[in-house]
């Protein structure tokens, strides 16, 4: 089975490739010649994931899955959520976003947050979605060099380290994207 993973994020591609069974050949956007920015104009994480999967099917006619992730912070009423990538502005810079988050939560006692990933799968003319959630808290400063995005300030529940301090294998086993991908893989395995 061939499936396009609609992302330009090499970190994500690496994370997901490690979880997908060998009989599924993952194609990147580059592999199918899709070099343009795929529209993400919906106002929910679910909506954006579906929009991206439908875009690839409509314009390139490949079965495809797309993911969208947001960091939902309780003290900020769920922000940055669907706007996580451009929280600090259209430059979409991870360092700026993380600094803004730490600033907004400065001295705030409630640091609870969750990462949410929705994967939308376009397969054989049908659209499916899978959701993975990882609960944790926002640290008061940055820790670790691994990973990407908000990883240095997110410490999952029951862990001593932030995502940026842990190995990818551990992040994948407890993380939002890993959980969503596991559901995707279980679903695809049944379809085999
Ligand atoms: P996207 O929807 O996956 O592109 O992600 C939206 C925003 O959340 C971007 O700013 C990413 O850097 C951030 N993000 C997505 N996944 C993760 C993750 O696993 N760790 C940290 N930040 C992430």
């Amino acid at each position: 089975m061939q499936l396009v993973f609609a992302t330009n994020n090499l970190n994500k591609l690496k994370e997901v490739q490690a979880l997908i069974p060998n009989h599924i050949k993952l194609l990147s956007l580059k592999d199918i010649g899709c070099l343009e920015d795929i529209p993400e104009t919906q106002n929910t994480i679910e909506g954006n994931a579906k929009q991206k999967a439908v875009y690839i099917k409509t314009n390139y006619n490949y079965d495809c899955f797309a993911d969208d992730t947001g960091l939902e912070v309780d003290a900020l009423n769920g922000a940055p959520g669907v706007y996580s990538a451009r929280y600090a502005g259209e430059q979409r810079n991870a360092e700026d976003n993380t600094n803004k988050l730490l600033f907004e939560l400065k001295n705030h006692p409630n640091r609870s947050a969750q990462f949410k990933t929705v994967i939308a799968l376009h397969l054989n003319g049908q659209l499916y979605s899978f959701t993975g959630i990882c609960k944790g808290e926002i640290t008061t400063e940055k820790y670790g060099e691994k990973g990407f995005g908000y990883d240095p300030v997110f410490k999952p529940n029951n862990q001593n380290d932030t995502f940026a301090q842990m190995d990818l294998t551990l992040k994948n086993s407890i993380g939002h994207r890993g959980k969503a991908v596991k559901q995707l893989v279980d679903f695809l395995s049944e379809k085999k």
Side-chain angles (χ1 to χ4, degrees), residues 9 12 15 40 52 67-71 81-86 92 94 97 115 117 148-152 163 171 176-177:
N9 182 329
K12 278 199 215 167
E15 281 192 16
E40 292 181 60
K52 287 187 272 188
D67 79 325
D68 202 58
T69 297
L71 176 63
V82 70
Y83 304 109
S84 294
R86 53 202 138 118
R92 294 172 171 253
N97 290 338
F115 268 113
T117 292
F148 65 101
Y150 296 92
D151 278 349
F163 272 155
K171 184 185 174 191
H176 43 295
R177 194 160 23 256

Side-chain angles (χ1 to χ4, degrees), residues 71-76 79-81 84 87-88 94-108 111-113 115 137-140 142 149-154:
L71 176 63
E72 301 176 328
V73 179
D74 289 359
L76 303 176
S84 294
Y87 186 42
E95 183 88 13
D96 295 349
N97 290 338
T98 308
N99 289 339
K100 177 170 178 184
L101 182 61
L102 288 179
F103 178 78
E104 295 292 334
L105 286 183
K106 206 167 176 84
N107 301 324
H108 208 294
R111 310 193 69 89
S112 302
F115 268 113
E137 62 184 54
I138 305 301
T139 50
T140 51
K142 296 176 207 169
Y150 296 92
D151 278 349
V153 296
F154 185 84

